[in-house]
Amino acid sequence: MEMEISIPKTSSVMAALLRADYTTLWRNRRSVIMVLIVPMIIVFSWKGLVATAGGAFVLSNSITLGLIAIGLMGYTNSIARDREKAVFQRLRVSPLPLWTIMASRLIVQLTLILILTMVVFISGYQFDHITMSAGGYIFTTLAAIVGGAVYLALGQAIVGRIQNPETVNSTSRLVYFAFIMVGMFGELGVLGDKFKNAVHWTPYGTVNDILSASLEPAKWSNHTSMALLLTIGYIIVFATLGIKWFKWSTK
């Protein structure tokens, strides 16, 4: 007599994976707090720029730096650590669709992006008295999701190309530091006007541009539309490389 093997429903699988991933996120809440601290520091320390550069400038840079931290610091290290511990190998031998494994991780990262955006909005209002229209907040939340996808895709490319978790950690930190130095100081014009113009077309610059314009929808321009298209292009390139290079185990 043959035994029938019951295959769980995809919805049940996703629910179980999400519970596990959210539990892991809660247990690592200190790292989440560290991700949120960086953009909050920008909001606090750049209060003097609100009157000159505008509230949208401060908020957009704060969110951009937070998105970089989520994609390059949180996501990459989490994937590298679980791959090293053979978590993915155990999940692969179970009757789970492979796409659900990564989809669950990405949904958790989406939650972090939404939390980050809300924290920056609230911090900007409470400490810098920055207020935007309801449409500005809605469009910026959507732009943050698009911008976050850039750095998640870049993080996927890094963890796909590099197998050693320690090397992944050091590489993601180096890229994170480079984005901060080149992007933030380039936006402020500290590195010169030519470099400032070049920064606008980097992942930092394009994401920052669409965030800034989303905060003030009336200022959306052709330049912003080009930045959005280039941002989508970055997502496609990084995601394609990340998927192509990614291995489920280090062996």
Side-chain angles (χ1 to χ4, degrees), residues 59-250:
L59 294 184
S60 61
N61 277 278
S62 300
I63 295 174
T64 301
L65 289 174
L67 295 177
I68 297 173
I70 290 174
L72 296 183
M73 303 298 289
Y75 180 71
T76 53
N77 292 325
S78 173
I79 297 296
R81 182 178 62 250
D82 286 348
R83 182 172 59 186
E84 176 70 14
K85 294 180 178 178
V87 172
F88 292 136
Q89 278 292 87
R90 291 194 293 271
L91 289 174
R92 287 190 70 196
V93 298
S94 61
L96 303 178
L98 293 181
W99 66 267
T100 60
I101 300 174
M102 300 309 295
S104 175
R105 301 299 178 96
L106 293 176
I107 290 173
V108 172
Q109 299 305 313
L110 173 60
T111 303
L112 283 178
I113 291 172
L114 295 176
I115 292 174
L116 164 72
T117 307
M118 294 302 106
V119 167
V120 171
F121 286 160
I122 295 171
S123 300
Y125 177 78
Q126 291 291 336
F127 297 97
D128 294 350
H129 307 294
I130 300 173
T131 58
M132 298 293 170
S133 66
Y137 288 126
I138 294 172
F139 289 136
T140 304
T141 301
L142 297 175
I145 294 173
V146 175
V150 174
Y151 298 110
L152 289 174
L154 178 58
Q156 183 69 36
I158 292 174
V159 80
R161 191 62 176 176
I162 303 172
Q163 302 299 312
N164 187 285
E166 294 182 359
T167 308
V168 169
N169 184 36
S170 59
T171 302
S172 60
R173 288 178 182 274
L174 178 62
V175 176
Y176 176 64
F177 181 74
F179 270 116
I180 291 179
M181 296 298 294
V182 175
M184 187 169 65
F185 289 113
E187 281 286 317
L188 292 171
V190 176
L191 303 178
D193 292 337
K194 291 184 178 179
F195 201 88
K196 180 178 180 179
N197 293 331
V199 166
H200 281 300
W201 303 110
T202 64
Y204 184 101
T206 59
V207 170
N208 189 60
D209 283 346
I210 64 174
L211 285 170
S212 182
S214 296
L215 283 162
E216 299 176 303
K219 294 185 178 181
W220 191 281
S221 63
N222 290 332
H223 174 83
T224 313
S225 297
M226 289 296 297
L228 176 59
L229 291 175
L230 189 55
T231 299
I232 295 173
Y234 282 132
I235 295 172
I236 294 173
V237 171
F238 294 150
T240 301
L241 293 176
I243 294 171
K244 178 181 179 181
W245 292 334
F246 186 73
K247 294 181 179 180
W248 294 96
S249 69
T250 56

